[in-house]
Amino acid sequence: MSHHPDPRQRLTPAMRGLLDRVARAGHPPMDALTPAKARLAYEAGAPVLDIEPHKLARVQNLNIPTRDGQSLPATLFAPSEAPGLPVLLYFHGGGFTVGSVRTHERLCRRLAHLANCAVVSVDYRLAPDAPFPTAVNDAWDSLAWLRAEASALGLDGSRIAVGGDSAGGTLALVTAISARDAGWPLALQLLYYPGCAGHQNTPSHRLYAKGFLLDASLITYFFSQYLSDPADRNDWRFAPLDGVDASGQPRELEGVAPAWFGLAECDSLVDEGVAMADRLRLAGVPVDLEIYHGVVHGFIQFGRAIPQALKAHEDAARALKHAFEGDT
């Protein structure tokens, strides 16, 4: 018996079969493509395994102004036209380099449907054209705008949550910390496998470095598009777990909004997600942590093939509902 069992043995049969099909398809890895081509490949691939889009009563295109005079496209998804719905501000994943409102539309529609809330999904600017910290600033500007415009949109501005997956989860975490600093209450942080740490040095980064969709080479590629300077890896706005602020201090987490984490067991980022949840708990922040066994990074968009995706949608929606009801 080997003392190092193959980490692929941890995968569910459905997940293993899916990864085998991906390998057989033989597409070039995203990190072998230019960012523009990687974006196109991701847009083409995103809907393939995702659930059918829920029909919703209200889908509205928005434009969010930024501090530097640009405008971010965003889409509001809501299950009804009823006034006063609470709202989730959502930031999509994609390594700060790929992804869009479109790639995550089915997820956002499902969360709106299941949680009976509005979801505003933001097309923040992507690397390398918009390097760090542009996405961080775009996320913050989106929250400021949503707070100001909620009532005009018929939403309840006193019940706002932030959320995201992967890189979008990083943006949600950082936005929640800044919201605490500004005295802006948030109902919840909804975090699917967020990136939390500045350096790829945890055991899970080694264990799942190759063959589990988010390969070490892909993470390195994304970070090299987004970060202009190696020192940025130690900035808390990139690494909320272990980064520091301008004075060299880690960010205190007391008083940050409650958090719901949905992590994938077979994911490079699982260890840092658990560590982030622990740090928040130690700071007195209410935390719910779910680890979905035998699945890989990105699984929440594989609902046609991976049943855990549907469970992760339901769990997140339940957490949202509870958080929003707690505010009334």
Side-chain angles (χ1 to χ4, degrees):
M1 278 284 291
S2 158
H3 290 297
H4 298 283
D6 175 3
R8 282 179 54 88
Q9 297 306 314
R10 301 180 183 200
L11 295 168
T12 67
M15 191 79 251
R16 202 174 315 149
L18 173 58
L19 291 179
D20 289 343
R21 291 203 298 282
V22 169
R24 278 201 302 276
H27 296 296
M30 215 184 287
D31 46 281
L33 305 174
T34 64
K37 288 216 163 66
R39 249 170 248 162
L40 291 172
Y42 188 68
E43 293 271 343
V48 172
L49 295 169
D50 214 338
I51 53 171
E52 286 300 307
H54 278 278
K55 290 193 166 50
L56 294 174
R58 183 179 179 193
V59 178
Q60 182 178 346
N61 292 328
L62 306 169
N63 284 291
I64 298 177
T66 63
R67 64 189 67 187
D68 59 351
Q70 300 300 305
S71 178
L72 308 175
T75 304
L76 188 160
F77 302 100
S80 74
E81 299 275 1
L85 285 178
V87 55
L88 168 67
L89 180 64
Y90 196 84
F91 307 114
H92 66 79
F96 307 101
T97 308
V98 303
S100 66
V101 168
R102 280 186 309 282
T103 59
H104 286 62
E105 175 167 351
R106 295 169 186 221
L107 172 65
C108 288
R109 283 175 175 267
R110 180 153 161 91
L111 290 174
H113 166 76
L114 290 173
N116 193 36
C117 69
V119 177
V120 171
S121 179
V122 182
D123 265 327
Y124 57 89
R125 285 171 283 180
L126 297 176
D129 315 319
F132 172 81
T134 311
V136 175
N137 295 340
D138 284 354
W140 179 252
D141 293 347
S142 302
L143 176 60
W145 177 87
L146 182 58
R147 280 172 54 86
E149 296 297 320
S151 61
L153 291 166
L155 305 173
D156 182 352
S158 73
R159 293 190 293 161
I160 297 176
V162 293
D165 58 294
S166 196
T170 314
L171 294 174
L173 261 165
V174 170
T175 300
I177 295 168
S178 296
R180 183 275 318 266
D181 295 346
W184 293 359
L186 293 171
L188 187 72
Q189 316 177 56
L190 184 132
L191 307 167
Y192 284 119
Y193 34 76
C196 302
H199 299 272
Q200 295 134 262
N201 56 7
T202 61
S204 61
H205 273 287
R206 290 188 287 278
L207 198 55
Y208 304 114
K210 193 157 177 49
F212 296 85
L213 283 196
L214 185 66
D215 283 0
S217 57
L218 182 56
I219 298 174
T220 300
Y221 168 83
F222 284 148
F223 289 0
S224 69
Q225 303 302 325
Y226 181 53
L227 302 178
S228 321
D229 181 334
D232 292 339
R233 281 181 176 264
N234 301 315
D235 188 312
W236 76 275
R237 297 169 299 170
F238 174 69
L241 173 67
D242 54 3
V244 295
D245 62 21
S247 69
Q249 296 302 307
R251 295 303 303 223
E252 294 298 321
L253 298 174
E254 280 77 8
V256 172
W260 179 90
F261 284 79
L263 307 181
E265 180 190 13
C266 302
D267 177 4
S268 294
L269 303 187
V270 67
D271 288 350
E272 64 200 62
V274 170
M276 189 77 219
D278 286 346
R279 258 202 78 198
L280 285 162
R281 274 201 192 106
L282 280 172
V285 176
V287 174
D288 273 327
L289 171 65
E290 296 284 344
I291 299 178
Y292 297 90
H293 292 292
V295 293
V296 302
H297 193 87
F299 80 96
I300 56 166
Q301 290 173 276
F302 305 154
R304 270 187 220 183
I306 304 298
Q308 287 85 348
L310 306 180
K311 176 144 182 15
H313 302 159
E314 287 158 5
D315 292 344
R318 193 177 314 116
L320 271 175
K321 269 187 144 150
H322 286 165
F324 288 141
E325 283 162 8
D327 285 354
T328 50

